[in-house]
Amino acid sequence: MNGYICDSCAVQAYEITQEALDAKKGDGATKLNLKELPKPVEIKNFLDQYVIGQDDAKRFLSVSVYNHYKRLLQKGGDDDVEIEKSNIIMVGSTGTGKTLLARTIAIVACTLLIVDATVLTEAGYVGEDIESIPTRLLQVADYNVAQAEQGIVFIR
């Protein structure tokens, strides 16, 4: 009740709280620019460190992730060139590494959500509605809307 705090300690406490609030709130999504964006070859080399085989899948996935971020960074210019959204379907037997590839690419990607398709149903039926996917993506991004908007959803 009768404690005192010096001016420099008060200023330092204020700065620490501001830093904590700024970190929690976030300044939006991860700051990316086209120069720092890893090229598809670099992404594939990264995947080669963790996944054995599946060279075609790693190559396609690397290009798709690169194009995803390139599309997000694309400025609205005078040219009418628009990079299309890239959807990928990976088909294979159990244990062939589809989920491993997705989890490994999550290290490169800023936000990745892996969803089990067997629990998804149409609205009104027993199971999880498709509308729950954006909510879960927002949860994975720690409720940072800008980061969730740049996220990738992997439905298995």
Side-chain angles (χ1 to χ4, degrees):
M1 296 293 279
N2 294 327
Y4 296 99
I5 186 166
C6 69
D7 290 340
S8 63
C9 291
V11 170
Q12 186 178 9
Y14 174 77
E15 290 172 354
I16 290 171
T17 2
Q18 286 303 109
E19 287 176 14
L21 288 174
D22 290 343
K24 186 175 183 180
K25 179 174 45 171
D27 296 306
T30 306
K31 300 293 183 211
L32 294 173
N33 62 39
L34 203 54
K35 293 177 184 173
E36 293 178 6
L37 190 64
K39 302 293 183 223
V41 172
E42 296 168 354
I43 297 172
K44 185 189 177 296
N45 290 338
F46 176 79
L47 288 172
D48 285 338
Q49 296 174 12
Y50 296 95
V51 180
I52 299 171
Q54 304 290 355
D55 288 328
D56 289 339
K58 288 188 284 190
R59 194 172 68 246
F60 291 129
L61 193 59
S62 299
V63 170
S64 179
V65 168
Y66 176 77
N67 285 341
H68 172 75
Y69 287 111
K70 191 173 177 183
R71 183 176 64 87
L72 291 174
L73 295 170
Q74 185 179 25
K75 303 275 191 276
D78 294 335
D79 59 358
D80 292 331
V81 177
E82 181 179 339
I83 300 173
E84 290 290 323
K85 185 173 74 168
S86 55
N87 294 324
I88 293 180
I89 184 166
M90 290 192 287
V91 180
S93 303
T94 303
T96 56
K98 300 178 297 290
T99 305
L100 176 64
L101 277 169
R103 286 191 178 137
T104 306
I105 206 70
I107 298 170
V108 176
C110 62
T111 303
L112 179 92
L113 172 66
I114 299 177
V115 179
D116 189 13
T118 57
V119 299
L120 296 176
T121 62
E122 291 186 43
Y125 292 96
V126 176
E128 195 173 325
D129 290 339
I130 196 78
E131 289 85 15
S132 67
I133 292 176
T135 305
R136 290 183 50 203
L137 185 63
L138 194 59
Q139 289 171 343
V140 168
D142 290 330
Y143 297 97
N144 185 334
V145 176
Q147 187 175 354
E149 288 175 342
Q150 295 182 0
I152 296 173
V153 177
F154 177 74
I155 302 174
R156 61 179 179 146

